Amino acid sequence: IVLAALKSDVKAYHHVADHLKYDPEILELYKGEISFEKQILIARMKNKGGHNLKLCEDYWRDDRDVVLAAVSNYGSVLETVSPFLKADKEIVLAALKSDVKAYHHIADHLKDDPEILELAKGGISLVTEKQKNIENQTWSKEKRRLVDKFRVGDGHEIRNCEDCW
């Protein structure tokens, strides 16, 4: 509500509760520029490592610019950011470009996005549980067929088949 009020009229800042007046987003809207603290934090995320986002105050994990800088450097930090940023496609893509393991932390509705799948498939098996079950059933049938086929005999062929399993 406060952010919406400030977006429509900056003078509303004078009516903001004292404990909110130093919130980075509120100050940013009021001053019309990125706060010095935020500039420093973004630079540190880019230069010293995005993993440092884990040590920051919670409100920085809700700040899109700070999170984007952090995940661009260290994608796995996506785990610690707010849910609405895990659903932001630009942030998710930046995280995956730096670490495909970040795929496990993105919003569910983005997990089937073709662009995201293309980036992520390099390092993670993206097979859904349903696909795994189908593959396991198929593999089990094939395995049973081979075992039955080689059950008769000296067993030598079975050892060769088991190497493939």
Side-chain angles (χ1 to χ4, degrees):
I1 296 173
V2 173
L3 293 175
L6 287 172
K7 285 179 184 176
S8 66
D9 185 7
V10 168
K11 293 176 188 171
Y13 180 78
H14 299 290
H15 302 288
V16 173
D18 288 338
H19 71 280
L20 295 175
K21 285 190 175 187
Y22 298 103
D23 180 277
E25 278 186 288
I26 292 172
L27 280 173
E28 193 174 315
L29 282 173
Y30 175 64
K31 293 180 179 181
E33 58 188 48
I34 296 177
S35 70
F36 181 69
E37 182 182 11
K38 184 174 176 177
Q39 290 175 9
I40 297 291
L41 190 55
I42 289 172
R44 285 188 180 155
M45 293 298 150
K46 289 179 179 177
N47 300 326
K48 303 232 183 225
H51 63 278
N52 290 314
L53 184 63
K54 295 176 184 178
L55 305 174
C56 293
E57 297 291 333
D58 288 342
Y59 58 82
W60 289 118
R61 290 186 221 141
D62 292 337
D63 186 288
R64 189 177 189 286
D65 299 324
V66 172
V67 169
L68 185 58
V71 299
S72 295
N73 182 283
Y74 187 75
S76 292
V77 81
L78 189 66
E79 178 180 11
T80 66
V81 306
S82 63
F84 73 92
L85 291 176
K86 291 178 184 182
D88 183 308
K89 189 171 179 179
E90 183 182 1
I91 287 176
V92 167
L93 289 171
L96 290 172
K97 285 177 184 173
S98 76
D99 185 356
V100 294
K101 293 177 194 159
Y103 179 83
H104 296 295
H105 307 296
I106 69 175
D108 288 338
H109 75 277
L110 289 176
K111 289 187 176 185
D112 294 326
D113 182 282
E115 191 176 1
I116 289 170
L117 286 172
E118 184 65 32
L119 262 178
K121 74 180 179 183
I124 300 176
S125 173
L126 299 176
V127 180
T128 64
E129 286 302 314
K130 186 175 181 180
Q131 290 170 321
K132 283 182 185 178
N133 290 338
I134 291 169
E135 288 174 4
N136 287 340
Q137 289 171 358
T138 304
W139 180 248
S140 296
K141 289 176 186 174
E142 181 65 15
K143 185 175 178 180
R144 274 186 259 129
R145 186 185 67 75
L146 288 171
V147 168
D148 289 342
K149 180 179 177 182
F150 292 106
R151 188 169 283 153
V152 182
D154 65 359
H156 180 72
E157 294 89 351
I158 292 176
R159 280 191 294 277
N160 290 339
C161 288
E162 286 176 347
D163 291 343
C164 298
W165 296 336

